């Protein structure tokens, strides 16, 4: 399950590379959230999925943080000039922040896990080192990236503490509907969105990226993430995100011919070693 999660989660940057040239980021996210809701609503009704009574508010808050907050933060930061490598490095601080905050939800981080977290962060830094650039950097893009880091960290801890157990079908539907309601006014404010989706170019590349984002990322990967949060410590789950930049780099090499140096290869090995330190029983 962890391997499959990392593999699917890492395709998010590939889908963004295919889809974002044809739609503004928040508009893309709105279509993504809407697509998930359209698929899950009849599924929940047909299968009579249990409704999480008493947890709806907590599930919605966690979803807004993990979905709307994290994705909108990263994509808006890149749109405003944040280099992708630098954004990956900033968001890569999440496992360390989660480890610092773990005692707040009753989790203990052992010494070996701290070593793993440092190794993992160092590995991520090496992987993205040759892609980090300060060209085009603005304070607005830094703020959006920090918002993304805050949201994914707090959202993971919040869900682990307040609502680790819920039916994935109905719970995920709640989270994406809540995220859609949050992203909608942001899309109107920043992108001048209208119901006609006039800014979207419905090319085969965009439709493919949108379909993959809905089915594989927003349903498949998120179901796996929630299952991992349910059964594992928050620090162990978030440490898996250290494997995202190396996996994405390999995918970009295979699909787009992007290159990475021997330092990047060393970073991949360090990230893998760091995750092994954290998740080993």
């Amino acid at each position: 399950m962890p391997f499959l999660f990392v593999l699917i989660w890492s395709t998010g940057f590939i889908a963004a590379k295919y889809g974002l040239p044809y739609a503004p980021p928040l508009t893309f996210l709105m279509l993504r959230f809407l697509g998930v809701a359209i698929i899950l609503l009849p599924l929940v009704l047909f299968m009579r999925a249990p409704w999480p009574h008493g947890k709806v508010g907590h599930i919605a808050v966690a979803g807004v943080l993990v979905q709307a907050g994290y994705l909108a933060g990263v994509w808006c930061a890149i749109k405003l000039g944040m280099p992708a490598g630098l954004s990956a490095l900033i968001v890569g601080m999440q496992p360390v922040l989660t480890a610092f905050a773990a005692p707040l939800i009753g989790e203990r981080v052992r010494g070996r896990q701290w070593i793993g977290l440092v190794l993992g962060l160092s590995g991520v830094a090496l992987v993205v080192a040759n892609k980090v650039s300060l060209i085009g950097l603005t304070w607005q893009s830094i703020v959006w990236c920090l918002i993304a880091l805050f949201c994914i960290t707090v959202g993971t801890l919040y869900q682990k503490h307040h609502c680790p157990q819920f039916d994935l079908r109905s719970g995920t539907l709640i989270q994406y509907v809540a995220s859609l309601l949050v992203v909608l006014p942001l899309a109107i404010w920043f992108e001048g969105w209208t119901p006609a989706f006039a800014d979207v170019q419905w090319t085969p590349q965009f439709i493919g990226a949108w379909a993959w984002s809905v089915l594989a990322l927003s349903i498949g990967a998120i179901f796996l993430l929630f299952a991992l949060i349910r059964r594992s410590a928050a620090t162990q789950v978030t440490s898996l995100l250290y494997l995202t930049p190396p996996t994405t780099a390999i995918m970009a090499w295979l699909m787009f011919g992007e290159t990475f140096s021997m330092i990047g290869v060393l970073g991949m090995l360090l990230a893998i070693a760091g995750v092994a330190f954290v998740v080993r029983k």
Side-chain angles (χ1 to χ4, degrees), residues 70 85-97 117 120-122 124-125 145 149 152 238 241-242 245:
Y70 170 67
L86 185 57
S87 66
L89 185 58
I90 293 174
V91 177
M93 290 291 295
Q94 189 227 339
V96 176
L97 293 183
L117 290 168
L121 183 61
S122 301
V124 170
C145 205
L149 173 60
I152 188 67
T238 57
L241 299 181
Y242 280 150

Side-chain angles (χ1 to χ4, degrees), residues 206-228:
F206 174 80
I207 294 174
W210 171 74
W212 181 262
S213 296
V214 170
L215 298 173
L217 291 166
S218 294
I219 295 179
I222 292 300
F223 272 36
L224 290 171
L225 175 62
F226 290 171
L228 289 169

Side-chain angles (χ1 to χ4, degrees), residues 128-139:
V128 303
N130 64 328
K131 301 180 184 295
V132 170
S133 170
L134 300 182
I135 298 175
L137 192 64
T138 63
W139 69 266

Side-chain angles (χ1 to χ4, degrees), residues 169-249:
R169 297 159 296 181
S170 57
T172 304
L173 175 62
I174 292 169
Q175 293 202 333
Y176 278 106
V177 170
S179 297
L180 177 61
L181 295 177
V182 169
V183 170
L184 175 59
L186 293 176
I188 296 173
W189 182 19
F190 284 104
E191 299 172 354
W193 174 83
T194 62
F197 289 98
D199 291 335
V200 178
Q201 302 176 48
W202 297 93
T203 64
Q205 293 89 340
F206 174 80
I207 294 174
W210 171 74
W212 181 262
S213 296
V214 170
L215 298 173
L217 291 166
S218 294
I219 295 179
I222 292 300
F223 272 36
L224 290 171
L225 175 62
F226 290 171
L228 289 169
I229 291 175
R230 180 179 296 179
R231 76 175 193 174
S232 305
T235 302
Q236 290 179 313
V237 174
T238 57
S239 69
L240 294 173
L241 299 181
Y242 280 150
L243 299 179
T244 299
T247 306
T248 302

Side-chain angles (χ1 to χ4, degrees), residues 20 23-25 74-82 141 191:
L20 279 181
V74 170
W75 287 17
C76 286
I78 293 175
K79 182 72 173 181
L80 292 171
M82 171 74 72
S141 65
E191 299 172 354

